[in-house]
Amino acid sequence: MTSEPQRLGPLESQVLDVLWQAGSCTIRQIINHLERDLAYTTIATVLGNLERKELVVPLRGQGKSVSFRAVVGREEHAASVMSHALETSGDRAASMRFFVQSMSAEEIELLRGFL
C-alpha cells in the first residue's frame, strides 16, 4: 500500500502550481504569480507547511536569497493521489471501471498505448 498523499489546502495547491509552472521561485516571485495580493508572511507560512509535508525544498542563494522548488512534479503527485484513491476505494476493480468509463476515446487510446 502506498502512503497517503499529503492533503493540500487551496492556497498550498496554488503555490505548488506556481512552482510546477515556474520551477523555482522566491516568495516575492510566488506572490507576483498569484492572482491575488497576499502577504509575504502568508506565503512564507504556506511554504513552511509544504516543506514539512516534504513537497518543497528551499534553495539557498547568495546572500539572504531563498528560492523554493517542488520535490515532485505535478504528474507524479497526481499519480500518487490516483493510486491512493484506488487502494482505499474498497473495490479497486469497480473504481477503475468507473474511472475508465469517464475517459474520452483519446484518453482510452493513450491508456492502451501505455499498456
Side-chain angles (χ1 to χ4, degrees):
M1 182 177 220
T2 62
S3 63
E4 182 174 356
Q6 293 291 338
R7 295 177 193 262
L8 300 176
L11 190 51
E12 290 174 327
S13 293
Q14 290 174 14
V15 168
L16 268 178
D17 281 339
V18 168
L19 294 175
W20 283 329
Q21 290 173 2
S24 64
C25 291
T26 64
I27 293 173
R28 183 61 53 204
Q29 290 169 329
I30 291 169
I31 291 169
N32 292 338
H33 278 91
L34 295 173
E35 293 183 11
R36 55 190 175 138
D37 193 29
L38 294 165
Y40 187 95
T41 54
T42 300
I43 301 305
T45 299
V46 168
L47 286 164
N49 293 340
L50 290 170
E51 187 177 357
R52 276 190 296 286
K53 292 178 179 184
E54 299 180 351
L55 293 171
V56 302
V57 292
L59 306 170
R60 307 282 178 218
Q62 293 183 347
K64 295 182 180 182
S65 174
V66 178
S67 294
F68 293 83
R69 75 167 172 80
V71 173
V72 297
R74 182 190 316 265
E75 296 79 8
E76 186 179 348
H77 180 71
S80 174
V81 170
M82 291 166 50
S83 179
H84 181 72
L86 286 173
E87 288 179 8
T88 59
S89 69
D91 187 341
R92 187 179 184 103
S95 296
M96 290 174 72
R97 183 178 64 252
F98 282 111
F99 181 70
V100 170
Q101 288 172 345
S102 73
M103 296 171 73
S104 69
E106 294 82 20
E107 291 168 331
I108 290 172
E109 283 305 310
L110 184 61
L111 181 59
R112 281 192 179 113
F114 291 142
L115 298 174

